[in-house]
C-alpha cells in the first residue's frame, strides 16, 4: 500500500492567470460586473473570486450562475452560494 506523499502530488502551477480564467479576481480587484464566485478557502492567501464577466441577472458569470441557482444536492453543508452571500457584505 502506497503512502500519500504531499510533495509527490502533481500540482499544476497557475501563477498568472488570464483575465477570463476563473480565480483571477481578489477582494481588491473585484469589480461590479465581475463574477463573485468564491474560489478556494477564504481563510487562505490564495483565495480569489472567479472574476469573469458577470451576467445581467446576478453576481455570477453564466457558468457559476448555473451552479448557484440549481438545487443543492448535498445537505448539511453550506454551499458556495451561501459563502458568497456572506462575503458580499464586504464587497
Ligand atoms: Zn464565475
Amino acid at each position: 500500500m502506497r503512502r500519500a506523499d504531499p510533495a509527490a502530488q502533481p500540482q499544476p502551477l497557475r501563477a498568472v492567470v488570464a483575465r477570463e480564467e476563473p480565480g483571477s479576481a481578489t477582494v481588491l480587484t473585484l469589480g461590479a460586473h465581475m463574477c463573485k464566485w468564491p474560489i478556494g478557502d477564504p481563510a487562505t492567501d490564495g483565495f480569489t473570486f472567479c472574476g469573469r464577466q458577470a451576467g445581467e441577472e446576478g453576481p455570477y458569470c453564466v457558468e457559476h450562475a448555473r451552479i448557484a441557482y440549481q438545487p443543492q444536492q448535498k445537505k448539511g453543508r453550506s454551499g458556495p452560494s451561501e459563502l458568497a452571500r456572506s462575503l458580499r457584505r464586504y464587497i
Side-chain angles (χ1 to χ4, degrees), residues 35 37 50 52 61 64:
C35 177
W37 188 267
C50 170
R52 284 185 290 194
C61 66
H64 285 135

Side-chain angles (χ1 to χ4, degrees), residues 3-86:
R3 205 159 49 88
D5 185 358
Q9 284 180 359
Q11 288 194 6
L13 273 177
R14 302 174 63 199
V16 181
V17 291
R19 221 186 142 86
E20 290 297 309
E21 279 289 310
S24 58
T26 67
V27 171
L28 296 178
T29 64
L30 195 67
H33 300 292
M34 292 166 76
C35 177
K36 296 171 180 62
W37 188 267
I39 294 178
D41 186 342
T44 67
D45 287 342
F47 177 70
T48 58
F49 296 92
C50 170
R52 284 185 290 194
Q53 177 81 44
E56 300 273 316
E57 299 179 15
Y60 303 122
C61 66
V62 177
E63 183 186 320
H64 285 135
R66 202 181 299 145
I67 300 170
Y69 300 127
Q70 76 183 2
Q72 291 282 325
Q73 306 230 332
K74 291 173 187 170
K75 290 173 182 170
R77 287 186 59 183
S78 55
S81 57
E82 196 170 315
L83 173 62
R85 199 158 45 230
S86 64

